[in-house]
Amino acid sequence: MTLEQLRIFLAVARLQHVTRAAEVLNLTQSAVSASVQALEAQHGVALFDRVGRGIALNEAGRLFLPRAEALLARAREAEAWLADVRGGAVGSLRLQASQTVASYFLPRHLIAFQTRHPRVALDFRQGNTASVLAAVRAGETDLGLVEGRVEGSDLEVETIGGDRLVLLVGKDHPWRGRQRLGPDDLAGADWVLREPGSGTRATVDEALAALGIGPVAPMLELPSNEACIAAIETGRGASVLSDLAAAPHCERGRVFEGPAPFPARRFTAISHRPRHRSRAAENFLALLRDANMVPPS
């Protein structure tokens, strides 16, 4: 049966009259009669008694009536839900972000989005830049949010914010208090750096290469900002991390910022061009633009 057949059945059942039902539905009388007859014939059940020129629900029709009403009500609910999805009021949003973005940039924006769109279910996961890019391309996430430069003709990339990288050393490190470091200093450092695949590591490698240094062989490669800070605070080793990650530890005197200038970098939102971007994803990007005063890319 079709929803149109149900709609016609309900009109005839409520009015107990084919002609008046046709007028209400803006259909011809013959179309209404044919629809009711087709519904009965398809299921082998008479729903109306024809008495003279009149029509009246029989017992089967009376029993079927609340079920038909329930089906149409569910159809209206489904239409309303699709309208909400179109507007981004309901649905789901899958996000994956690299560590620095996930830990220091996104949390306040996630709270703001959930407050504004409480019926959108958020699925948020953390990785590094390489794993987030892979998830975007595989369709495992709607949006990826990473630090550093991202390239690919299959990717839609938009700037959503940024940070700067800072050189960090512990309290007993010989570079603490130095006003200037040269390329030779940086080339000979005992580096404690993030793992390959992270956006922070890629930016550090690029910056050192621009000074003619590298590729460096770190003393340690660690999978988190906090692990790098814990490793260097004893005095040996130097690291380069986001100022967002470093700030609270510098304030507490665990580590200290050194003089080597590293570049500012962008935070970017990425999606897969071949895939449809949902209204929920568009709404999240709009929130990030507004919060960080970033125009659309």
Side-chain angles (χ1 to χ4, degrees):
M1 70 183 69
T2 67
L3 293 177
E4 182 67 4
Q5 286 177 321
L6 290 176
R7 188 169 72 96
I8 292 171
F9 164 78
L10 287 175
V12 175
R14 289 165 181 160
L15 296 170
Q16 301 283 302
H17 201 283
V18 172
T19 301
R20 286 201 292 270
E23 292 171 353
V24 169
L25 296 170
N26 197 27
L27 295 171
T28 65
Q29 180 177 333
S30 61
V32 171
S33 295
S35 177
V36 171
Q37 290 168 9
L39 179 63
E40 292 176 320
Q42 285 167 7
H43 301 283
V45 177
L47 300 170
F48 294 94
D49 288 332
R50 278 76 175 175
V51 182
R53 300 183 64 182
I55 190 169
L57 278 175
N58 60 22
E59 182 180 3
R62 287 191 295 273
L63 292 173
F64 180 59
L65 179 62
R67 291 165 173 79
E69 290 173 332
L71 282 170
L72 276 185
R74 291 294 301 275
R76 287 192 293 270
E77 289 174 8
E79 288 179 341
W81 185 86
L82 286 174
D84 283 344
V85 169
R86 184 175 66 246
V90 300
S92 63
L93 178 59
R94 299 172 302 165
L95 302 173
Q96 289 197 29
S98 54
Q99 186 180 130
T100 299
V101 176
S103 298
Y104 305 102
F105 175 77
L106 274 186
R108 62 190 174 94
H109 299 305
L110 294 174
I111 290 293
F113 181 82
Q114 201 73 91
T115 300
R116 193 176 300 180
H117 303 283
R119 292 194 292 158
V120 175
L122 278 178
D123 179 356
F124 178 60
R125 302 184 185 189
Q126 179 178 300
N128 62 26
T129 296
S131 66
V132 171
L133 281 172
V136 168
R137 287 189 163 111
E140 295 170 358
T141 189
D142 301 311
L143 287 176
L145 303 119
V146 300
E147 64 268 6
R149 187 169 65 248
V150 174
E151 295 178 345
S153 60
D154 61 331
L155 300 176
E156 190 79 35
V157 181
E158 178 174 338
T159 299
I160 54 168
D163 67 351
R164 67 184 183 91
L165 294 182
V166 294
L167 174 70
L168 298 171
V169 296
K171 63 179 180 179
D172 296 324
H173 195 281
W175 287 356
R176 182 185 173 190
R178 287 273 295 272
Q179 299 301 308
R180 182 179 179 279
L181 294 173
D184 290 342
D185 295 312
L186 298 175
D190 290 328
W191 289 112
V192 176
L193 299 177
R194 288 288 307 280
E195 79 284 5
S198 77
T200 297
R201 176 63 179 276
T203 304
V204 172
D205 288 344
E206 290 172 7
L208 292 176
L211 296 172
I213 302 168
V216 297
M219 176 174 63
L220 282 176
E221 292 176 336
L222 296 173
S224 72
N225 299 323
E226 287 70 21
C228 290
I229 287 170
I232 68 169
E233 70 175 323
T234 58
R236 188 183 176 196
S239 192
V240 181
L241 298 173
S242 167
D243 62 336
L244 300 178
H249 303 288
C250 289
E251 290 172 3
R252 292 198 293 269
R254 291 186 65 193
V255 292
F256 299 85
E257 187 174 335
F262 282 87
R265 62 178 178 174
R266 301 182 303 164
F267 293 160
T268 55
I270 54 176
S271 57
H272 199 212
R273 285 185 189 276
R275 303 178 194 276
H276 171 73
R277 198 154 70 184
S278 69
R279 175 55 60 181
E282 295 286 2
N283 287 345
F284 188 72
L285 286 174
L287 181 148
L288 293 177
R289 290 184 205 116
D290 292 344
N292 296 288
M293 296 182 289
V294 177
S297 297

